[in-house]
Amino acid sequence: MKQIIINGKKELSGEIAIGGAKNSAVALIPASLLSSGKCKIYKVPNISDKDALFEILEVLNVKASFEDTTVTIDSSNIKNVVIPEDLSNKLRASYYFMGVLLARFKHVEIYFPGGCNIGTRPIDLHLKGFVALGVNITHDEQTHKYILDAKNLTGSRINLDFASVGATINLMFAASLAKGTTIITNAAKEIEIINIADYLNKMGADIKGAGTSTITINGVTKLHEAQIDVIPDRIEAGTYLMVGAMIGNNLTVSGIVPNQIKALFDKFDDMGIKYIIDKDKVTISKCNNIKPINIKTLVYPGFPTDLGQPISVVLTQANGVSLFEETIWESRMQHVKYLNKMGANIKLNDSTHSIITGPTPLKGCEINATDLRGGAALVMAGLIADGTTKISNIEYILRGYENLVKKLRQVGADIKIIDEN
């Protein structure tokens, strides 16, 4: 079992370069299968979710390579076979193969997707949208296998009950090769969706309105090869900027698009945290008087749920009482017991509301990552804690943070990965 070991209280200075967005890359890779040619995706983060997607591509007889952040995918000999349960369970993004394979073959067999255990994560919105496009769905409740069939995919008007990122992207995939026009209302507006739509349009799709609540897809008969850059990872950027706010000394985070994390900067302003934006770089230092605030996670452009757990660590260092509310996932608070074990004062009203009282000094101890962003929060806590922190179950963290240890070490952190075996 691998562990992350952190000796805390080391001042961080220098520069951390942000990689490509995990939440874009895990959709762009499956999207490439909509083309029968060879596609290239640049600035792909080297994370374990990418590796899991490559395993699925291999099963589908798709050639894929990864070299120096560039993924090349050739699906000219793709085979539409069952995606095994063990591979589907490795990551949430496995569900994107539903929309892609439906578009190309009108048939897909796949098991329920996996990923982090951060709450009930149904795919009802995806399935409801597919049905509107003419898909017949069979679900075996014992095996969790889904069989999706359609004689033809026909454009339709689809209203999402919730502005789901995954459902919006999956329906864009299926609708791209459907007959007629599909209109998705109450679509998610995240910037990652714009990245996906740009890629599909480069392939020859006809998608308008990505980034707004209404997306219109005029189906085409074929998509060709294309190339795309993955956008910068705003969640990775936000995580390191929050670290800088607690223990930085002119820590610079580079390669970002500041407007994409405006919600975080707004909270920094409320907390009295100073930062300097210079084009694609943001420099930040430790704030000695962090003000308490109230935070409520929301869909884009609101405060991102993926930064909710990390910012809870910052609030443990604020001077007073902060209130936190999670509105997207109901099990985002699993990291709290470990922060409290380290010395934090966080009380849970229920599974989505917490009261954080600070400032509290944190002490290193043995803790466990329970999900991706909660694991990142524990790394942040270890960096500001006295003594040594040992984090287990780090596979969660490695799913979404490229070269985490290397990037932190190069700016002064005392952090390493060990393998107990």
Side-chain angles (χ1 to χ4, degrees), residues 218-336:
N218 295 307
V220 299
T221 58
K222 186 178 181 180
L223 295 177
H224 52 72
E225 61 186 38
Q227 301 179 0
I228 193 75
D229 286 348
V230 181
I231 59 173
D233 196 315
R234 60 194 173 104
I235 306 304
E236 182 190 18
T239 301
Y240 291 130
L241 287 170
M242 285 188 273
V243 170
M246 296 186 295
I247 201 165
N249 179 12
N250 290 321
L251 178 67
T252 297
V253 180
S254 64
I256 70 176
V257 180
N259 284 342
Q260 295 178 352
I261 50 174
K262 185 178 183 301
L264 176 61
F265 290 134
D266 288 344
K267 291 303 179 183
F268 277 176
D269 294 341
D270 293 341
M271 299 165 80
I273 296 172
K274 305 299 182 183
Y275 52 90
I276 299 172
I277 299 176
D278 181 14
K279 297 179 181 178
D280 70 339
K281 296 183 179 182
V282 180
T283 300
I284 193 166
S285 294
K286 178 181 178 180
C287 178
N288 293 313
N289 185 23
I290 299 174
K291 299 176 182 177
I293 58 170
N294 296 339
I295 288 187
K296 181 178 182 178
T297 63
L298 295 166
V299 295
Y300 191 84
F303 192 86
T305 178
D306 282 349
L307 289 180
Q309 290 160 292
I311 205 168
S312 67
V313 180
V314 182
L315 295 179
T316 68
Q317 304 307 301
N319 292 292
V321 178
S322 300
L323 303 179
F324 180 85
E325 179 181 358
E326 168 63 37
T327 69
I328 311 299
W329 302 112
E330 72 273 17
S331 297
R332 280 283 203 190
M333 303 291 187
Q334 298 175 75
H335 67 301
V336 167

Side-chain angles (χ1 to χ4, degrees), residues 149-171:
D149 270 303
K151 291 184 178 179
N152 289 296
L153 295 178
T154 305
S156 179
R157 189 176 185 91
I158 303 170
N159 181 68
L160 296 178
D161 297 329
F162 172 77
S164 163
V165 174
T168 299
I169 293 173
N170 231 345
L171 294 174

Side-chain angles (χ1 to χ4, degrees), residues 40-41 50 54 57 63-67 70-74:
K40 287 183 180 289
I41 309 171
K50 179 266 298 177
F54 269 41
L57 295 180
K63 294 181 180 179
S65 64
F66 179 73
E67 184 177 357
T70 298
V71 165
T72 302
I73 296 175
D74 182 354

Side-chain angles (χ1 to χ4, degrees), residues 60 75 98 108 127 145 181 187 193 197 211-212 244 247 258 260 270 295 299 325 341 359 372 383 397 411:
L60 297 174
S75 59
M98 286 184 172
V108 58
L127 301 179
K145 182 181 178 181
T181 299
I193 291 172
T212 74
I247 201 165
Q260 295 178 352
D270 293 341
I295 288 187
V299 295
E325 179 181 358
K341 183 180 179 182
L372 170 56
L383 291 171
I397 305 170
V411 294

Side-chain angles (χ1 to χ4, degrees), residues 100-146:
V100 169
L101 295 176
L102 272 175
R104 284 203 64 174
F105 300 102
K106 311 300 184 292
H107 176 85
V108 58
E109 297 184 31
I110 192 172
Y111 291 85
F112 195 85
C116 293
N117 181 23
I118 55 176
T120 303
R121 310 184 84 184
I123 58 173
D124 296 7
L125 296 180
H126 305 241
L127 301 179
K128 179 181 176 182
F130 291 148
V131 169
L133 295 175
V135 178
N136 179 62
I137 299 173
T138 303
H139 177 220
D140 188 326
E141 293 187 359
Q142 290 186 332
T143 64
H144 303 298
K145 182 181 178 181
Y146 288 88

